[in-house]
């Protein structure tokens, strides 16, 4: 789950995700059948693929797990037949990266089983490639980084250019705080096209401005850069990305200092930037964020790629029930579907060393 830093990843920028205390367990065992057999406690059927047929496109729902095995083989790891059993508490398709939970747990497990000798960077590359090249899902790597490297009570400050990470203290419970996530259940039909438009818009703006990526613009250079852009759309995109990178850095500085509550206004500013400049929110999401802040949350913002999904809020532990009730009431009045609340804690990822 991303605390802050939205749509900065493909601009080589900064993100600050954490792993939630949900997870996927992958049990792996060699077999002598030269096949991969995949089961899941959340699925009825067993997916069986002969190793000879293991190629992108295979695997149905099990493609995420099968893709890890394929990627390891592509990298020259000597694999064999294997049974993989999955059991996950991460809700699927709710914007909580259940797919990253699957690929990262399977990557960590198979790495051990086949004694592949991979370091943290390799594990990231394998999990990403399984999703990108085997499944064909264009993810930017943040989900996998958090699912592998996050540790309990911390957020993971990631530089998406270098892929360097730093553990930043984010022990909300120790401060009497809670992280509330509200799944709006809403989804925008054209999300893929909207995402692609922003991504190419950012690339076009970077070219016009003569930088490798928007990450290379500092806040001090922003006004000058905006003046050189040809249209309002690109100006809005650039303003969001440059200010969002800065907000990630501000948040990291506050968390390093143990000032968790101070992060609230930064989350609120991030939401406003996504709503007004990047324009990736929808009415359900805006209403939840606003209602949470009006109801006393320190801050609230949409988390994830946008056009639906979840809102994340930071609030006092004893304010959670009232906040959830306030959003339910506001949603009912607006005629929106009932939102799903979850209280999450910063948990640990799959990487152990
Ligand atoms: P999300 O936002 O949850 O990552 P995705 O569409 O990227 O949504 O990933 C969901 C897919 O991940 C499922 O369709 C399935 O293929 C796989 N998956 C997730 N959880 C499980 C599970 N418990 N068992 C089997 N497959 C799972
Ligand atoms: Mg996913």
């Amino acid at each position: 789950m991303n605390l802050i830093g939205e749509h900065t990843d493909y601009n080589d920028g900064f993100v600050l995700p954490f792993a939630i205390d949900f997870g996927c367990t992958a049990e792996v065992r060699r077999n002598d059948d030269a096949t991969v057999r995949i089961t899941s406690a959340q699925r009825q059927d067993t997916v069986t693929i002969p190793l000879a047929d293991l190629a992108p496109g295979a695997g149905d729902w099990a493609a995420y797990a099968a893709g890890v095995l394929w990627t390891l083989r592509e990298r020259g790891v000597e694999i064999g037949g294997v049974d993989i059993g999955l059991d996950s508490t991460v809700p699927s398709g709710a914007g909580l990266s259940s797919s990253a939970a699957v690929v990262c747990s399977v990557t960590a497990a198979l790495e051990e089983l086949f004694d592949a000798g991979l370091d943290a960077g390799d594990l990231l590359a394998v999990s990403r490639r399984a999703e990108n090249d085997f499944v064909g899902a264009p993810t930017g790597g943040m989900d996998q980084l958090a699912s592998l490297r996050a540790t309990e009570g911390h957020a993971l400050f990631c530089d998406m250019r270098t892929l360097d990470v730093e553990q930043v203290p984010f022990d909300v419970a120790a401060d009497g705080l809670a992280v509330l996530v509200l799944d709006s259940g809403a989804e925008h039909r054209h999300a893929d096209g909207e995402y692609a438009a922003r991504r190419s818009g950012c690339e076009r703006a970077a070219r016009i401005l003569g930088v490798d990526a928007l990450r290379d613009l500092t806040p001090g250079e922003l006004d000058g850069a905006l003046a050189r852009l040809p249209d309002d759309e690109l100006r809005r995109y650039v303003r969001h990305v440059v200010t969002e990178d800065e907000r990630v850095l501000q948040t990291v500085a506050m968390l390093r200092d143990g000032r968790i509550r101070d992060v609230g206004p930064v989350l609120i500013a991030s939401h406003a930037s996504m709503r007004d400049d990047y324009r990736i929110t929808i009415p359900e999401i805006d209403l939840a964020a606003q209602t949470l802040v009006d109801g006393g949350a320190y801050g609230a913002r949409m988390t994830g790629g946008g056009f639906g999904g979840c809102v994340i809020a930071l609030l006092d532990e004893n304010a959670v029930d009232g906040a959830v009730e306030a959003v339910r009431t506001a949603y009912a009045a607006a005629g929106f579907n009932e939102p799903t609340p979850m209280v999450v804690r910063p948990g640990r990822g799959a990487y152990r060393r």
Side-chain angles (χ1 to χ4, degrees), residues 10 59 98 100 128 146 149 154 157 212 225 231 239 253 296 305 311 326 330 346:
Y10 53 80
S98 68
R128 266 185 85 167
R149 303 294 300 279
H154 292 85
F157 174 37
D212 286 340
D231 63 71
R239 191 162 53 220
V311 170

Side-chain angles (χ1 to χ4, degrees), residues 39-119:
T39 56
S40 163
Q42 286 74 45
R43 294 287 186 282
Q44 302 299 321
D45 55 319
T46 300
V47 172
T48 304
I49 311 168
L51 293 185
D53 300 338
L54 184 62
D60 191 27
W61 60 263
Y64 292 86
V68 174
L69 192 64
W70 174 82
T71 304
L72 288 172
R73 187 173 66 188
E74 290 286 298
R75 289 175 64 106
V77 174
E78 207 171 304
I79 61 158
V82 61
D83 294 350
I84 302 174
L86 304 173
D87 190 359
S88 179
T89 57
V90 187
S92 183
L96 295 176
S97 284
S98 68
S99 59
V102 170
V103 291
C104 292
S105 59
V106 171
T107 299
L110 290 183
E111 196 276 331
E112 230 176 280
L113 185 73
F114 295 124
D115 202 9
L118 305 182
D119 65 16

Side-chain angles (χ1 to χ4, degrees), residues 34 52 54 104 132 141 172 183 206 265:
L54 184 62
C104 292
N132 292 340
V172 285
D183 182 0

Side-chain angles (χ1 to χ4, degrees), residues 52-317:
D53 300 338
L54 184 62
D60 191 27
W61 60 263
Y64 292 86
V68 174
L69 192 64
W70 174 82
T71 304
L72 288 172
R73 187 173 66 188
E74 290 286 298
R75 289 175 64 106
V77 174
E78 207 171 304
I79 61 158
V82 61
D83 294 350
I84 302 174
L86 304 173
D87 190 359
S88 179
T89 57
V90 187
S92 183
L96 295 176
S97 284
S98 68
S99 59
V102 170
V103 291
C104 292
S105 59
V106 171
T107 299
L110 290 183
E111 196 276 331
E112 230 176 280
L113 185 73
F114 295 124
D115 202 9
L118 305 182
D119 65 16
D122 296 328
L123 292 181
L124 175 67
V126 169
S127 347
R128 266 185 85 167
R129 191 157 178 222
E131 281 213 45
N132 292 340
D133 295 353
F134 194 89
V135 179
T139 70
M142 178 188 76
D143 296 353
Q144 294 89 350
L145 252 185
S147 301
L148 284 169
R149 303 294 300 279
T151 57
E152 218 168 297
H154 292 85
L156 192 73
F157 174 37
C158 309
D159 180 330
M160 296 308 289
R161 171 171 278 166
T162 62
L163 299 179
D164 286 339
V165 299
E166 177 194 330
Q167 305 288 343
V168 184
F170 186 50
D171 193 354
V172 285
D175 255 23
L177 296 171
V179 176
L180 171 66
V181 175
L182 276 169
D183 182 0
S184 69
E187 214 172 320
H188 189 300
R189 273 181 303 134
H190 306 296
D192 288 352
E194 299 277 10
Y195 177 89
R198 281 158 187 76
R199 197 168 171 148
S200 65
C202 287
E203 282 163 12
R204 196 155 75 86
R207 268 197 309 278
I208 294 169
L209 297 169
V211 291
D212 286 340
L214 295 184
R215 180 265 178 77
D216 295 309
L217 294 171
T218 63
E221 291 164 340
L222 181 58
D223 284 345
L226 295 180
R228 286 160 57 207
L229 290 170
D231 63 71
D232 183 54
E233 188 178 35
L234 290 190
R235 280 191 286 273
R236 288 190 289 98
Y237 290 176
V238 170
R239 191 162 53 220
H240 168 72
V241 172
V242 173
T243 59
E244 185 78 351
D245 270 333
E246 184 60 19
R247 283 186 289 270
V248 174
L249 299 179
Q250 287 170 352
T251 303
V252 167
M254 289 166 177
L255 293 182
R256 281 186 191 132
D257 279 357
R259 296 186 286 130
I260 302 187
R261 284 175 179 78
D262 291 357
V263 166
V266 188
L267 302 182
I268 294 171
S270 170
H271 188 84
S273 180
M274 292 189 289
R275 182 190 61 213
D276 303 335
D277 275 343
Y278 223 55
R279 301 195 183 167
I280 53 175
T281 67
I282 59 172
E284 286 89 334
I285 291 288
D286 290 334
L287 181 62
Q290 190 61 48
T291 305
L292 289 163
V293 171
D294 291 346
Y298 294 101
R301 62 181 288 279
M302 181 183 77
T303 180
F307 307 105
C310 297
V311 170
I312 182 171
L314 184 65
L315 66 183
D316 285 324
E317 219 157 14

